[in-house]
Amino acid sequence: PGFLGWVYSRPLYPAITGGDVYYLVVCSEGLLSRIVLADVAGHGQGVSAIAATLRKLLRKHMNALDQSILMQEINEAFRREDDPDDVQYATAAVFGYFWKTGELIFTNAGHPRALWYHATEGAWDWLHDETPYKQTTVEGVPLGLIAGTEYLQSAVRLGQADLLVLYTDGITESTNQAGKELGYDGLLRLAKNLPLQTVNSSSAAGQALLLAVRDFRGESLIFDDESLVVLQQTTENMA
């Protein structure tokens, strides 16, 4: 509810399963969408076990707009994880979108910041805790530092047709044939240079951005799993 999404996720060849894990789920009332993108160090069975743990916790807390308890339990679950292959939980971006008000609650556990396209202004910037669009209050949600962790729970209000671009560091750590890394500034520059007609939909924007990353890389080798998720706000707020 409230989003159209486009997802690209590719494990590092020749692996058939990778360390990038994404979930897009909806609460039982159809009002709250939760989106998670995680980057787990490792591949195979160890990562599958962590993915299963994450899925279980998301289902347990799916109906709660407040993500603080979810983040506490994710933090504890992976901190206690005893994996014989030494696979460790790495980073995650967790979003809860309440489509009746257009409010987006987000928590970043060491993950790269999402890109945010403001459709009305035709401008790109980063979705981060100190954005001038940050809300100071959300009904029933205690914003700020989550007890027991170093995570912040923040909120913004999305505009009609805004885009959010989530990704893993396999995208930003791409290098060109001269050995130069794309980086965060490079990704933002590619986004700003997307043709205007491509930012009208999540799929067009995602495909165009992925193509731009590939053009930057050229014939250089890929060294990590790659995931790119583009979400577009699609419904008028009911509030």
Side-chain angles (χ1 to χ4, degrees):
F3 281 125
L4 285 177
W6 178 90
V7 178
Y8 169 85
S9 191
R10 180 179 181 180
L12 180 64
Y13 182 83
I16 59 173
T17 57
D20 292 353
V21 180
Y22 62 89
Y23 287 99
L24 298 94
V25 291
V26 182
C27 78
S28 60
E29 299 297 323
L31 300 176
L32 173 65
S33 298
R34 181 152 284 134
I35 302 98
V36 178
L37 180 60
D39 187 353
V40 181
H43 304 277
Q45 188 59 40
V47 172
S48 296
I50 290 179
T53 299
L54 180 59
R55 181 174 183 267
K56 179 180 179 181
L57 291 173
L58 287 171
R59 294 184 68 177
K60 177 181 177 182
H61 297 286
M62 186 57 243
N63 291 337
L65 181 60
D66 183 356
Q67 297 178 164
S68 57
I69 297 178
L70 168 64
M71 296 306 299
Q72 288 173 350
E73 293 198 10
I74 289 176
N75 187 64
E76 287 299 308
F78 291 122
R79 186 177 65 83
R80 296 194 304 263
E81 189 75 34
D82 182 18
D83 192 292
D85 295 324
D86 197 32
V87 177
Q88 298 294 323
Y89 169 77
T91 67
V94 182
F95 300 82
Y97 181 69
F98 191 51
W99 75 274
K100 289 185 69 175
T101 63
E103 290 168 327
L104 181 78
I105 309 294
F106 64 97
T107 309
N108 192 304
H111 200 81
R113 303 294 181 187
L115 282 169
W116 183 4
Y117 176 71
H118 304 268
T120 301
E121 302 168 18
W124 288 90
D125 66 5
W126 299 104
L127 177 65
H128 53 78
D129 297 318
E130 300 307 319
T131 175
Y133 299 93
K134 180 179 178 179
Q135 292 187 243
T136 57
T137 60
V138 173
E139 185 175 354
V141 179
L143 299 174
L145 189 66
I146 295 175
T149 74
E150 296 180 354
Y151 311 144
L152 285 171
Q153 180 167 238
S154 304
V156 295
R157 188 181 296 272
L158 295 183
Q160 181 70 12
D162 281 4
L163 295 176
L164 292 175
V165 179
L166 290 59
Y167 54 93
T168 54
D169 59 13
I171 297 292
T172 50
E173 292 178 1
S174 297
T175 57
N176 63 17
Q177 290 174 276
K180 180 181 178 181
E181 187 174 279
L182 176 62
Y184 300 121
D185 290 341
L187 183 63
L188 178 58
R189 184 168 57 254
L190 293 183
K192 287 182 175 181
N193 288 333
L194 291 178
L196 185 60
Q197 65 270 24
T198 66
V199 295
N200 292 326
S201 76
S202 55
S203 60
Q207 292 175 53
L209 187 57
L210 183 61
L211 180 60
V213 172
R214 289 174 174 171
D215 286 344
F216 168 84
R217 183 187 297 124
E219 299 299 321
S220 297
L221 296 176
I222 299 174
F223 296 102
D224 199 0
D225 304 325
E226 294 182 318
S227 292
L228 186 63
V229 178
V230 182
L231 304 168
Q232 183 180 42
Q233 200 275 5
T234 60
T235 57
E236 293 288 352
N237 303 330
M238 294 178 63

